[in-house]
Amino acid sequence: DRAVDKAELYNRILFDVQRQIQTVQGDAVKAFSTPQAELPAFRPGLIWLAGRGPVANPDEDLRLVINQARIVAESLQSQVESNPLISLGYIALENGTLIFNSEQSQTVLQLPEGFDPRTRGWYIAASEADGPIWAETYVDAVSRELIITTAAPVCISGRLVGVIGFDVRLNAIQTDVLKLNEDSSGYAFL
């Protein structure tokens, strides 16, 4: 039956996304455990800082953690590129810094004024979890699309450093599932 096949397919796909977030979680723990002397030189770039908005050249005290987060951003980018359902990857740090999977300056500039990733449901749920979570579906702050986020905490020695996340667009899955209605006498829903 096509509906059962589709359900199994999307279960596998979403399980793969969860494994991808676990991979990045491991990379993040390594990055945030890397001593400053072993990190590449700091390079300016646009980031989001809660309370300040877009910042191109952060204060010296933020540069270490941003450098570490940029290592994670490279891992995020690799995972986003390998899965067409993932629209965006990011790391939100405890200090309010938000860094995307690549130099996503358009995304940074489109965030609404006052946006603080630490107040979002995905951040709160992941920060309270021991592993990856799936957040409630929501309308994305930038794209205005229906999104589901998988997120995972990044902890070093039991201290929360931040949360990594992937946004998965539900419209592609929804469109595919709704096509099942065309071929059957039942109803498909998501």
Side-chain angles (χ1 to χ4, degrees):
D1 172 81
R2 284 189 62 223
V4 171
D5 292 344
K6 287 287 183 183
E8 289 173 357
L9 171 69
Y10 284 112
N11 277 340
R12 281 194 310 275
I13 288 170
L14 294 175
F15 183 71
D16 286 345
V17 172
Q18 188 169 330
R19 276 195 306 220
Q20 288 178 274
I21 203 80
Q22 289 171 310
T23 297
V24 177
Q25 184 183 32
D27 293 344
V29 168
K30 288 179 198 167
F32 283 97
S33 299
T34 302
Q36 185 171 2
E38 296 176 22
L39 292 171
F42 180 80
R43 61 180 180 19
L46 202 56
I47 61 159
W48 182 268
L49 188 57
R52 288 178 52 192
V55 175
N57 195 10
D59 301 332
E60 189 64 39
D61 61 330
L62 289 177
R63 290 181 179 201
L64 170 63
V65 73
I66 291 169
N67 243 6
Q68 292 166 319
R70 285 200 171 131
I71 293 170
V72 179
E74 292 170 10
S75 177
L76 288 165
Q77 181 65 27
S78 170
Q79 298 299 324
V80 169
E81 288 174 353
S82 73
N83 190 327
L85 285 180
I86 301 173
S87 63
L88 189 63
Y90 41 86
I91 181 166
L93 304 175
E94 269 293 284
N95 66 9
T97 302
L98 182 60
I99 296 177
F100 294 96
N101 55 286
S102 66
E103 298 297 326
Q104 296 275 343
S105 56
Q106 281 305 111
T107 303
V108 171
L109 293 174
Q110 293 174 1
L111 288 169
E113 188 175 331
F115 181 83
D116 186 340
R118 298 167 297 183
T119 64
R120 305 293 287 189
W122 53 265
Y123 187 97
I124 294 166
S127 68
E128 296 171 351
D130 291 329
I133 59 97
W134 285 95
E136 301 267 333
T137 56
Y138 62 96
V139 176
D140 183 66
V142 175
S143 70
R144 309 306 299 163
E145 291 183 63
L146 192 58
I147 297 287
I148 188 166
T149 295
T150 184
V154 177
C155 297
I156 305 296
S157 301
R159 182 182 66 82
L160 182 69
V161 175
V163 170
I164 52 173
F166 287 141
D167 285 354
V168 177
R169 286 191 192 115
L170 290 180
N171 61 348
I173 297 171
Q174 180 183 23
T175 300
D176 192 37
V177 169
L178 290 177
K179 286 181 183 176
L180 292 173
N181 284 344
E182 299 169 2
D183 301 330
S184 69
S185 59
Y187 294 95
F189 65 93
L190 178 64

